[in-house]
Amino acid sequence: MVGGQAMPNPHRTDRRSRRLAALLDELAVAAGQAAAILGAPVARRDGAALAGAAMRIEALKLPLGAALRRAEAAGAARNAWAASRRAGAADAPEAVARLTLRRWGETMAALRAVCAGARTPLAVETDPADPRHAQGRVIDEAYNALHFALRAEVQADPAVAAGAFPDVPLGASLFAGHAHAAWRIMAALGRSGSARLLDVGAGAGSKVAIAARIFAGADGLEIDPGYAAAARRLLGGRLLGNARCIKADALRFDGYHRYDVIYLYLPIRDRQRMEALEERIVAAARPATVLIAPYAGFHARAAELGVQPLAGALAVTGIPAAEAAALARDAERTGPLLPGPERLGEDRGGGVLAPLRRALRLNGFLE
C-alpha cells in the first residue's frame, strides 16, 4: 500500500506493454513490406502483395488501439514518478503507438488510393472559366515582373556572340505544371526521391528556384555572366541549398548525362545552333531522361531526334515508343500531390508507419 492505495502489479503492467510492443513490431513488418513494394517502379509492382499488406495493416488498428488503452490504464495506476518517467520516453511503446494511430487515417486513405489504381492525367488544362485560371495569370504576371527585376538589364557581349536569346521566361504556373508531370514520371520509375533537373539557359534562375522545391536537386546552365551572377544571388540562400547555377556554354557542356530531367525553352536564336543543341542534349542524356521542351519546333523534330512523346511538353529519351506510352500510363497511376524534397526526410511523427508514409510521399499520395 502507498498513500492508502494498492500498488499495481508490475508484472501485469509489463505484460501489457510487451503485448503493445509485439503489435507494433507486427505492424512495422507489414508497413515495411508495403513501403518496399511502393519503392519499385510502377510497372514492376506486385499489386496483390500490396493489397495483402494493406489488409494486414488495417487488421491491426483495433487490436493496437485496445492494447494502447490497456497499457495506458495500467500506467495511470502507477505512482507519479514511474508514470512520468515512462510517458516521457519517446521510444516507449505507448508513445510510438500514439504517434502511429494519430497518423493512421491519412496514411491508410493514401494507401487505399494507391491500391485502387485510379489515374490522374499528367497534362491538365485549366478551363478559362475556372477562377484558378485567372489566379494563375495574375501569379505569372507578378512572377515575370520579379524575374526581370532580378536579371541584368543588358545581355553580355559573349552571350550575344554565342547567339543566346535574352532571358525569356515561361509562365511560372505553366512551368510548375510541366515540372510536376516530370516528377510523376520519375515517381513511376521509382526515382522521384533522387531526381535532378537541369535548366538549359537558366537566365536569372527563377525556374531553377521553382524546380528546387520539386526535385531533389536543380541546376541552371547559363552562358551570360550577368544572368549567371543574378541566378547565383537568387539561389544562394539557405532555403535553396539544393540549387545552383553553372556558368557554361550549353553547346560545350558535357554533363547532360548527370540529370534525370532537362528543361529547355529556346535558349538560342539561331535555328541551326538550336537544333545542334537539341541533338547534343539527346545524344548525351541517359535513357529514360525526361525532356521538358514547351515549344513546337522541338516536338516537330521528335522522330528525327529519336525521342518519344509523353504528355504535353514532355518527351523521353532512349526508349521505344511502346515503352514510352506505357511509362506515361504508369505515371498517371501516381498521386497528384507534390511533397517537395524537404518533406522526404525522416517522418518523426509517423510512428512505425514512417517508412510507409515516406513511400507514399515519393509516389505523390501524401504531402
Side-chain angles (χ1 to χ4, degrees):
M1 300 284 288
V2 175
Q5 296 182 346
M7 288 292 291
N9 185 332
H11 299 294
R12 180 178 299 174
T13 300
D14 289 345
R15 185 168 65 248
R16 290 173 177 174
S17 186
R18 287 197 299 271
R19 169 59 178 161
L20 180 59
L23 286 169
L24 287 169
D25 288 344
E26 187 177 350
L27 176 59
V29 170
Q33 290 170 342
I37 294 167
L38 289 171
V42 171
R44 298 207 300 267
R45 282 184 196 159
D46 187 335
L50 182 62
M55 290 178 63
R56 289 192 293 277
I57 295 170
E58 291 275 25
L60 287 166
K61 182 182 181 183
L62 291 179
L64 183 65
L68 175 61
R69 288 191 294 274
R70 287 193 293 269
E72 286 178 328
R78 297 178 180 183
N79 62 60
W81 177 83
S84 62
R85 182 184 180 192
R86 187 167 187 83
D91 58 348
E94 294 86 348
V96 175
R98 288 187 207 104
L99 289 174
T100 299
L101 290 170
R102 193 176 300 155
R103 297 288 185 264
W104 192 282
E106 65 175 358
T107 304
M108 295 312 298
L111 184 55
R112 286 191 291 270
V114 179
C115 293
R119 297 183 182 277
T120 304
L122 286 176
V124 180
E125 296 291 334
T126 306
D127 185 342
D130 188 325
R132 287 172 295 186
H133 182 84
Q135 293 161 10
R137 177 181 54 77
V138 171
I139 290 171
D140 287 346
E141 289 173 354
Y143 163 86
N144 286 345
L146 290 170
H147 178 91
F148 286 121
L150 285 171
R151 72 171 205 187
E153 292 185 6
V154 179
Q155 198 176 14
D157 291 340
V160 174
F165 258 123
D167 191 9
V168 181
L170 185 72
S173 60
L174 188 57
F175 173 77
H178 295 324
H180 187 183
W183 184 88
R184 291 178 65 197
I185 295 289
M186 292 295 108
L189 291 168
R191 290 158 43 192
S192 58
S194 60
R196 296 177 56 80
L197 176 141
L198 177 69
D199 178 356
V200 182
S206 55
K207 295 296 187 305
V208 181
I210 294 173
R213 308 303 295 173
I214 297 173
F215 296 96
D219 293 343
L221 195 62
E222 178 54 54
I223 191 173
D224 188 299
Y227 293 173
R232 285 172 177 158
R233 286 193 296 272
L234 174 64
L235 304 175
R238 289 186 305 161
L239 296 179
L240 294 172
N242 62 336
R244 62 176 182 158
C245 179
I246 303 167
K247 184 184 175 302
D249 184 344
L251 282 165
R252 297 180 180 179
F253 183 65
D254 61 0
Y256 293 114
H257 63 284
R258 294 196 291 266
Y259 297 90
D260 304 276
V261 179
I262 299 174
Y263 165 66
L264 66 161
Y265 183 46
L266 296 171
I268 299 177
R269 280 193 183 90
D270 180 77
R271 180 176 176 179
Q272 288 186 331
R273 289 170 62 83
M274 186 66 218
E275 290 182 353
L277 175 60
E278 294 167 349
E279 292 160 9
R280 182 179 180 86
I281 290 172
V282 171
R286 295 173 297 180
T289 296
V290 173
L291 304 177
I292 305 175
Y295 58 98
F298 179 86
H299 296 277
R301 299 185 68 216
E304 179 186 346
L305 290 167
V307 301
Q308 305 298 336
L310 288 171
L314 273 60
V316 63
T317 64
I319 62 175
E323 190 175 335
L327 176 58
R329 290 193 298 271
D330 288 343
E332 289 181 343
R333 291 172 55 195
T334 63
L337 303 181
L338 193 56
E342 74 283 356
R343 296 186 182 181
L344 294 177
E346 184 180 356
D347 188 340
R348 295 182 180 276
V352 297
L353 295 177
L356 175 57
R357 289 173 60 81
R358 184 175 190 275
L360 289 165
R361 286 193 177 98
L362 287 169
N363 282 274
F365 287 94
L366 277 181
E367 287 188 326

